[in-house]
């Protein structure tokens, strides 16, 4: 009887252990006596490490000794701070810190001279360190869903930057340093507090996608019409009443777009003055012809 009772207790214990919370991958590795490097995955191009959704409130110390890692994903945790030791991972090409609780980035991020892709979206940043501009190879940067209202002037040094997402922040105007980023082909400034688009926007001569929806923009600058590379212009949900006569010069805009994912001109939910609402309903060709005729008769 006692033996049977012991067996039942043992079974219940085993079930409990199986149902218990799993150890985080790195703790599991260390408890098993395995080298932390065993967590690294070696792909065709990069050595990567993913610690996504591990419930971390701080980074494990062993991480900063993994010098060979090139792609590091620490997203969707509860990290409050990234230590200066980040600078030791100088082979990093891709770094994802999105979905944490970071209020700042260490200035040592500037030591990541090979960094090409950086995600720090969905955090609590109020500013960005000027040292980030030392990452001259940076091509993709997402700072969306933070509390940022300005960028360091040193960002003019990020001459390789092609894609920049600053949506859902607190920008009242487009930072001047952005107009020096001539390689930009994607710029997202939606859901900020912009009241205008500076004439200097024309210097972004390679811009293909420009999103400035859900702001307080009252008019579009004429210089915007000279960016011949534009394929998507989204200014939905603003305070725009009139359109520049030269808008018809944006020949790569193929249609009036209604789906957020479509290329074309997004101009919905603006208080356009008459007869523009009816003209827009007719499609992009009708709108462009109207603006061209209007210019010729002025």
């Amino acid at each position: 009887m006692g033996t049977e009772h012991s067996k039942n207790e043992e079974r219940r214990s085993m079930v409990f252990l199986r149902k218990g919370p799993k150890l985080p991958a790195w703790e599991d590795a260390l408890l098993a006596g395995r080298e932390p490097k065993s967590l690294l995955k070696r792909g065709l191009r990069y050595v990567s490490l993913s610690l996504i959704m591990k419930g971390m409130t701080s980074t494990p110390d062993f991480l900063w000794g993994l010098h060979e890692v090139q792609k590091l994903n620490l997203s969707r945790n509860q990290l409050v701070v990234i230590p200066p030791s980040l600078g030791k991972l100088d082979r990093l090409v891709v770094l994802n810190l999105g979905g944490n609780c970071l209020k700042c980035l260490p200035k040592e991020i500037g030591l990541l001279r090979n960094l090409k892709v950086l995600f720090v979206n969905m955090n609590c940043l109020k500013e960005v360190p000027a040292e980030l501009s030392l990452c001259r190879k940076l091509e993709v940067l997402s700072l969306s869903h933070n509390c940022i209202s300005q960028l360091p002037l040193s960002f003019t040094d990020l001459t390789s930057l092609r894609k920049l997402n600053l949506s859902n922040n607190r920008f009242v105007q487009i930072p001047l340093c952005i107009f020096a980023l001539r390689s930009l082909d994607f710029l997202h400034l939606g859901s900020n507090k912009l009241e205008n688009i500076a004439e200097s926007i024309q210097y972004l001569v390679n811009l293909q996608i420009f999103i400035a929806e859900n702001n307080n923009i009252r008019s579009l600058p004429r210089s915007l019409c000279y960016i011949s590379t534009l394929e998507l212009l989204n200014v939905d949900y603003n305070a725009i009443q009139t359109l520049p006569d030269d808008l018809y010069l944006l020949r790569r805009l193929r249609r009036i777009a209604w789906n957020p994912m479509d290329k074309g001109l997004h101009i919905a939910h603006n208080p356009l003055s008459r007869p523009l609402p009816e003209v827009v309903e007719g499609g992009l060709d009708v709108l462009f012809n109207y603006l061209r005729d209007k210019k010729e008769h002025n």
Side-chain angles (χ1 to χ4, degrees):
M1 185 78 175
T3 304
E4 186 65 28
H5 177 74
S6 297
K7 286 183 179 178
N8 288 337
E9 286 295 320
E10 186 177 349
R11 289 193 197 100
R12 278 196 290 270
S13 297
M14 293 297 288
V15 169
F16 175 78
L17 286 172
R18 282 198 297 269
K19 289 185 177 180
K22 285 187 175 182
L23 289 169
W26 67 94
E27 289 186 14
D28 188 28
L30 295 178
L31 285 175
R34 289 192 284 133
E35 174 70 25
K37 289 184 180 181
S38 66
L39 297 170
L40 297 177
K41 293 184 179 179
R42 300 180 185 275
L44 293 175
R45 294 184 62 192
Y46 299 121
V47 177
S48 62
L49 173 62
S50 178
L51 296 176
I52 183 174
M53 293 181 68
K54 300 298 182 184
M56 297 187 298
T57 55
S58 61
T59 51
D61 290 339
F62 77 79
L63 180 60
W64 314 120
L66 301 177
H67 301 294
E68 62 266 60
V69 68
Q70 295 168 289
K71 290 180 67 175
L72 177 59
N73 191 342
L74 299 175
S75 65
R76 300 175 69 183
N77 281 287
Q78 294 150 35
L79 300 175
V80 177
V81 65
I82 298 293
S85 302
L86 173 67
K88 295 179 180 179
L89 304 182
D90 56 4
R91 294 187 187 178
L92 277 181
V93 177
V94 179
L95 175 59
N96 191 341
L97 300 172
N100 280 287
C101 307
L102 302 175
K103 293 184 178 180
C104 62
L105 294 173
K107 63 181 181 180
E108 286 77 9
I109 198 168
L111 298 174
L112 307 182
R113 302 299 169 87
N114 291 301
L115 197 64
K116 291 185 177 181
V117 179
L118 175 60
F119 288 94
V120 204
N121 52 300
M122 292 187 285
N123 275 279
C124 306
L125 299 182
K126 290 186 177 180
E127 58 183 11
V128 184
E131 289 79 7
L132 183 59
S133 61
L134 297 174
C135 301
R136 304 290 171 80
K137 294 183 180 180
L138 198 63
E139 297 178 5
V140 178
L141 174 60
S142 178
L143 296 168
S144 70
H145 294 84
N146 278 284
C147 305
I148 305 168
S149 59
Q150 57 186 356
L151 294 177
L153 284 176
S154 60
F155 262 45
T156 56
D157 294 332
L158 295 176
T159 54
S160 297
L161 198 64
R162 294 186 300 107
K163 302 187 187 302
L164 177 60
N165 191 338
L166 297 173
S167 64
N168 290 273
N169 275 285
R170 298 179 180 176
F171 292 100
V172 175
Q173 61 184 10
I174 301 176
L176 290 176
C177 58
I178 289 181
F179 302 127
L181 305 179
R182 306 297 167 84
S183 296
L184 275 187
D185 59 40
F186 175 98
L187 177 59
H188 195 338
L189 282 160
S191 298
N192 277 282
K193 300 179 179 180
L194 301 181
E195 294 186 356
N196 62 69
I197 298 172
E199 294 284 349
S200 301
I201 193 74
Q202 65 184 311
Y203 297 126
L204 301 182
V205 294
N206 291 299
L207 199 60
Q208 297 176 24
I209 296 176
F210 180 40
I211 303 172
E213 64 179 349
N214 196 29
N215 279 284
N216 301 311
I217 299 168
R218 297 174 184 176
S219 63
L220 299 179
R222 174 167 292 181
S223 64
L224 181 66
C225 306
Y226 305 143
I227 306 177
S228 60
T229 51
L230 268 182
E231 298 178 1
L232 189 158
L233 173 58
N234 188 339
V235 287
D236 285 347
Y237 294 97
N238 275 283
I240 298 169
Q241 296 185 20
T242 61
L243 297 175
D245 293 345
D246 288 335
L247 195 67
Y248 68 88
L249 296 174
L250 297 177
R251 294 185 178 89
R252 292 198 182 184
L253 296 180
R254 299 298 186 187
R255 63 175 68 87
I256 299 290
W258 305 100
N259 186 318
M261 301 302 292
D262 287 345
K263 290 184 177 180
L265 173 63
H266 297 253
I267 193 69
H269 304 284
N270 279 282
L272 295 173
S273 58
R274 293 187 177 278
L276 283 175
E278 292 79 7
V279 173
V280 169
E281 286 289 334
L284 193 65
D285 288 341
V286 174
L287 174 62
F288 280 1
N289 287 334
Y290 169 80
L291 293 173
R292 189 183 294 109
D293 292 345
K294 182 183 174 189
K295 181 181 179 180
E296 289 176 356
H297 287 88
N298 282 345

